[in-house]
Amino acid sequence: MTAPVPCDICIINSILLLQVTVRDALNQAMDEELERDERVFLLGEEVAQYDGAYKVSRGLWKKYGDKRIIDTPITEMGFAGIAVGAAMAGLRPICEFMTFNFSMQAIDQVINSAAKTYYMSAGLQSVPIVFRGPNGASAGVAAQHSQCFAAWYGHCPGLKVVSPWSAEDARGLLKSAIRDDNPVVFLENELMYGVPFEMSEEVQSKDFLIPIGKAKIERQGTHITLVSHSRMVSLCLDAAAVLAKEGIECEVINMRTIRPLDAEAIETSIMKTNHLVTVEGGWPQFGIGAEILARIMEGPAFNYLDSPAVRVTGVDIPMPYAKILEDNSVPQIKDIIFSIKKTLNV
């Protein structure tokens, strides 16, 4: 028995679609922008000789050397300040925090120095800098290493805040962030680094960019709108797949950007589905979901809702260390399904 001959379309698709992890997508984006613009450089703890704590900067030090890939002491306030000053002087730094929990050590530089300078200089002094690193809950690292900073930085005018989910998001948004003349907080997720995604030939192009401030519909649906960012998009898609077997079609929106928020995309979806559930890993009080619900209540889509909008969030406590408690402190697929059915009165 002879093996079937693959069709031409199958061969073409296998050539054009690559499996790329989020880690490699971020690495490619930085590599291409470092090559494209000599003003771009990367600094942070262990980013050079060690190839990065999570290997996101693997190979960049060997390729670009000590002047472009810079290992720093363990002093976030210090190296964030150096990066902001370099941006003011005309360079385009990428400042890596080993985790965004450590960015609290440097928050004065991020907010008071980077975010406010363009306004306070009447538009004369731009600060083109990217603050990037893993954000949100990881696994087994307890309260001080497990919080989401999307709402923290999304609160502050002067910053752009990006939260990618897929390899396509990571690649296209990081390249846009590096080229942007404003300070950008780029919130990655440690648990997503090793996850592979299919990447088309278009996305593989060095010219591929994703505009900051635009959401993406990852799954079309007619019964309810699910809005989330970062790793929670995966859970929403999994919940949508389960509910599709029961005849419930969920529209899943990947926010991509926290600030500026693409409220128009969410409103347009609600006008079609008439129901809304937001999903986030962060705490509920003053969170991303709270902001989305307020925007919808104040905007034209409110009159299209057939039932109250619902938030699915992390639990309002510091993250426990014990695994069973940790699992019950962040949203699970069952929590999303329960909230969807409650909203639809199923």
Side-chain angles (χ1 to χ4, degrees):
M1 184 175 178
T2 59
V5 178
C7 67
D8 291 342
I9 294 176
C10 295
I11 294 172
I12 292 170
N13 284 341
S14 65
I15 293 171
L16 298 184
L17 290 175
L18 287 178
Q19 288 278 324
V20 179
T21 64
V22 172
R23 175 186 289 107
D24 288 341
L26 293 165
N27 181 276
Q28 291 171 12
M30 287 193 292
D31 186 10
E32 290 171 9
E33 294 306 303
L34 283 158
E35 186 175 54
R36 173 182 172 272
D37 188 343
E38 64 181 11
R39 297 172 299 170
V40 176
F41 71 99
L42 171 67
L43 81 166
E45 296 156 359
E46 300 184 345
V47 300
Q49 296 186 44
Y50 189 66
D51 282 337
Y54 300 98
K55 306 307 175 191
V56 174
S57 55
R58 181 187 287 127
L60 298 182
W61 175 66
K62 289 181 180 178
K63 183 173 181 179
Y64 296 102
D66 290 322
K67 289 188 177 181
R68 307 278 307 277
I69 312 297
I70 303 168
D71 278 330
T72 67
I74 304 174
T75 167
E76 283 77 13
M77 173 64 87
F79 68 74
I82 290 170
V84 171
M88 291 179 178
L91 300 179
R92 306 188 81 89
I94 305 167
C95 177
E96 176 179 309
F97 295 120
M98 192 180 290
T99 154
F100 260 94
N101 298 279
F102 301 152
S103 75
M104 282 196 287
Q105 301 287 336
I107 203 162
D108 181 62
Q109 298 289 359
V110 178
I111 304 301
N112 281 328
S113 298
K116 297 177 181 178
T117 294
Y118 187 71
Y119 176 82
M120 294 181 72
S121 68
L124 296 176
Q125 179 65 67
S126 60
V127 188
I129 184 172
V130 177
F131 299 100
R132 54 155 293 271
N135 170 68
S138 178
V141 291
Q144 293 173 324
H145 295 74
S146 298
Q147 58 209 45
C148 176
F149 284 84
W152 290 56
Y153 290 116
H155 181 66
C156 301
L159 291 176
K160 293 185 177 181
V161 183
V162 175
S163 183
W165 165 61
S166 66
E168 176 182 318
D169 292 352
R171 178 177 168 80
L173 287 167
L174 183 53
K175 289 171 73 73
S176 292
I178 294 169
R179 298 185 191 189
D180 202 293
D181 287 333
N182 299 283
V184 180
V185 172
F186 197 89
L187 302 170
E188 300 155 14
N189 187 284
E190 181 187 339
L191 298 178
M192 294 301 298
Y193 281 147
V195 179
F197 289 85
E198 286 188 345
M199 191 177 282
S200 68
E201 187 176 34
E202 177 192 2
V203 177
Q204 295 167 40
S205 166
K206 289 186 177 182
D207 297 322
F208 177 75
L209 300 172
I210 293 175
I212 293 174
K214 292 294 181 184
K216 181 185 179 185
I217 297 176
E218 299 288 351
R219 180 187 177 111
Q220 297 280 350
T222 55
H223 295 133
I224 192 165
T225 298
L226 305 182
V227 182
S228 63
H229 66 97
S230 189
R231 179 172 165 265
M232 291 299 124
V233 177
S234 294
L235 273 66
C236 287
L237 289 169
D238 290 343
V242 171
L243 290 170
K245 297 174 183 177
E246 302 178 28
I248 299 171
E249 293 298 333
C250 304
E251 182 144 295
V252 179
I253 296 179
N254 170 13
M255 293 175 67
R256 284 182 164 173
T257 305
I258 305 300
R259 185 184 185 104
L261 178 70
D262 190 357
E264 183 180 351
I266 301 170
E267 289 172 346
T268 301
S269 179
I270 291 171
M271 290 174 183
K272 178 173 71 171
T273 67
N274 309 115
H275 299 89
L276 171 65
V277 171
T278 65
V279 184
E280 63 189 302
W283 294 313
Q285 191 154 321
F286 311 112
I288 303 302
E291 174 64 19
I292 292 171
L293 265 60
R295 293 274 191 104
I296 296 307
M297 186 177 69
E298 294 166 352
F302 177 71
N303 292 324
Y304 288 81
L305 285 172
D306 288 342
S307 63
V310 172
R311 293 178 295 160
V312 179
T313 72
V315 177
D316 196 23
I317 58 170
M319 180 65 74
Y321 175 70
K323 186 178 188 316
I324 189 167
L325 296 177
E326 180 184 76
D327 289 344
N328 282 281
S329 298
V330 293
Q332 305 292 330
I333 295 171
K334 61 181 176 63
D335 303 319
I336 300 171
I337 291 173
F338 175 82
S339 294
I340 291 168
K341 289 187 173 183
K342 177 184 176 183
T343 304
L344 293 174
N345 198 28
V346 174

